[in-house]
Amino acid sequence: MPIPEEVTGDEIDKDVRQELQSLPKTLAEDVARNLVMVARLLDEDPEAAYGYSRVALRLASRVAAVREAAGFAAYANQKFSEALAEFRAARRMTGSVELWPVMADCERGLGRPEKALDMAGAPEVHKLDKAGQVEMRLVAAGARRDMGQLDAAIVTLQSPELASNSVQPWTARLRYAYADALLAAGREREAREWFAKAVESDRDGSTDASDRLAELDGVEFMDALDEHEHEGEGEAGSGGDVESAPAEDGDKDGDED
């Protein structure tokens, strides 16, 4: 697959670069460049990212960072069985528990929420850092919802991290998940409160909490182009002669993955 000339491979993390030192120099550079493309495209073009991950996998399947990247690319494309296999391979190579939550979420994707819950109660969870433990809580709550256990999902999300006023990288997603579970349980007033809290903490727009909050408040958004068209119709209906003018090109906002 084509890789832009400006991508050198030096863009990868130093830990990954160190892993690649076991490979011949030219091969290491090729693998690194493909891994850079995976990272760049994972969110905006998961299918393309998956293609680059497969190239890297063919070149260096015995490198843990490559197996992990292949796992995330497969995960982004909802290829959960393949993703789980790659994550397991990476974990065998490194001995790290870092991938435990996403492995559990793959079990959910495969229709096995009970297995995800088993993993949520495993000793590995205690070895996770705070971010990993919060992620595991989110996965466990999702598994409860998969099983129709809404009240249990709500209780699962209730934690010191949820109650804290401190804003961490996971705060917005945790508050959002809690609000969504409350709404699913018919607790609309509480859900609105927590969607508002999610908006406050969502500094990088990682959730659509503001849209969900607006929906609860009955706010409707009209596309700017439609608004201009309605204004034109109003003028035409007033009895005056309206001369058509060529439309100007404008940017259109798109929604997200």
Side-chain angles (χ1 to χ4, degrees), residues 113-133:
E114 297 89 350
K115 177 62 176 176
L117 286 176
D118 288 343
M119 293 179 69
E124 284 83 352
V125 175
H126 300 294
K127 300 176 184 178
L128 294 168
D129 61 13
K130 182 61 68 177
Q133 290 179 5

Side-chain angles (χ1 to χ4, degrees), residues 43-206:
D43 292 331
E44 64 183 63
D45 191 349
E47 189 173 348
Y50 178 77
Y52 285 106
S53 76
R54 301 307 295 177
V55 174
L57 196 58
R58 287 198 299 270
L59 295 174
S61 62
R62 295 186 179 183
V63 175
V66 171
R67 303 303 290 265
E68 183 175 329
F72 277 109
Y75 179 80
N77 284 275
Q78 299 185 8
K79 298 177 183 291
F80 298 116
S81 180
E82 185 177 324
L84 185 57
E86 298 299 342
F87 290 142
R88 283 173 173 167
R91 183 167 180 269
R92 283 195 300 270
M93 292 175 180
T94 64
S96 171
V97 297
E98 182 180 344
L99 295 170
W100 196 253
V102 72
M103 289 168 63
D105 205 38
C106 285
E107 295 288 1
R108 284 187 61 211
L110 291 169
R112 300 193 291 248
E114 297 89 350
K115 177 62 176 176
L117 286 176
D118 288 343
M119 293 179 69
E124 284 83 352
V125 175
H126 300 294
K127 300 176 184 178
L128 294 168
D129 61 13
K130 182 61 68 177
Q133 290 179 5
V134 171
E135 194 64 36
M136 192 72 249
R137 190 177 292 276
L138 288 167
V139 173
R144 290 292 185 189
R145 292 190 62 172
D146 293 342
M147 299 167 67
Q149 300 173 2
L150 275 175
D151 290 339
I154 291 170
V155 172
T156 298
L157 292 169
Q158 292 170 345
S159 62
E161 293 80 18
L162 179 68
S164 174
N165 291 324
S166 173
V167 175
Q168 302 295 334
W170 61 77
T171 302
R173 293 179 58 240
L174 183 58
R175 291 176 176 179
Y176 182 96
Y178 189 58
D180 193 49
L182 288 169
L183 188 61
R187 295 161 63 175
E188 186 172 317
R189 183 184 59 81
E190 294 171 87
R192 191 207 174 281
E193 175 187 347
W194 282 96
F195 276 127
K197 290 182 178 181
V199 171
E200 292 174 3
S201 57
D202 194 359
R203 295 168 179 172
D204 58 359
S206 61

Side-chain angles (χ1 to χ4, degrees), residues 13-27:
D13 294 338
K14 61 179 181 179
D15 292 341
V16 178
R17 190 180 301 115
Q18 187 173 357
E19 279 194 65
L20 296 179
Q21 287 179 354
S22 62
L23 303 174
K25 187 174 185 298
T26 302
L27 179 59

